[in-house]
Amino acid sequence: MSNVSISSIEDRTIELACYIIENKATIRTAADCIGISKSVAHSDLLYRLTYLNPPLFEEVRTVLNWNFAERQIRGGHATQKVLARRKNKAKEAAG
């Protein structure tokens, strides 16, 4: 049995949510900052926070959805850069 009290888990969950909202952080970044695993942070936010503080959960979900959308855009830009580099290398090798 763990020696972590229920109140400390709830406090950690609220602290994690506030960090994400204030810094527009990802779950991974917030988990690293607070010193917990990404899995625990995910469980805290998506399961515990929904019943601890539903309005706070909605704010967190807004930030996380924005981060998810931004990640898709960043991934697309990264792919474009890789393809452009390959194209330039192919031109240099041929030219």
Side-chain angles (χ1 to χ4, degrees):
M1 180 131 195
S2 176
N3 61 354
V4 177
S5 71
I6 297 294
S7 65
S8 69
I9 292 172
E10 292 173 353
D11 292 343
R12 177 187 71 208
T13 301
I14 300 297
E15 179 184 1
L16 186 62
C18 290
Y19 182 86
I20 286 176
I21 292 167
E22 291 169 8
N23 297 292
K24 306 285 190 244
T26 62
I27 288 180
R28 179 170 292 169
T29 303
D32 286 345
C33 179
I34 293 177
I36 58 176
S37 72
K38 184 177 73 90
S39 298
V40 170
H42 195 269
S43 295
D44 284 352
L45 291 172
L46 299 182
Y47 302 115
R48 290 187 181 96
L49 191 59
T50 57
Y51 67 85
L52 283 175
N53 191 332
L56 188 61
F57 170 74
E58 290 302 322
E59 288 184 60
V60 168
R61 185 164 45 175
T62 299
V63 172
L64 295 178
N65 286 343
W66 182 83
N67 284 337
F68 181 75
E70 184 70 21
R71 182 181 72 187
Q72 302 292 28
I73 292 168
R74 283 192 310 265
H77 286 286
T79 301
Q80 287 175 349
K81 287 180 182 179
V82 167
L83 295 176
R85 269 188 254 132
R86 288 181 184 168
K87 188 175 180 179
N88 288 338
K89 284 184 181 180
K91 282 183 182 178
E92 289 173 4

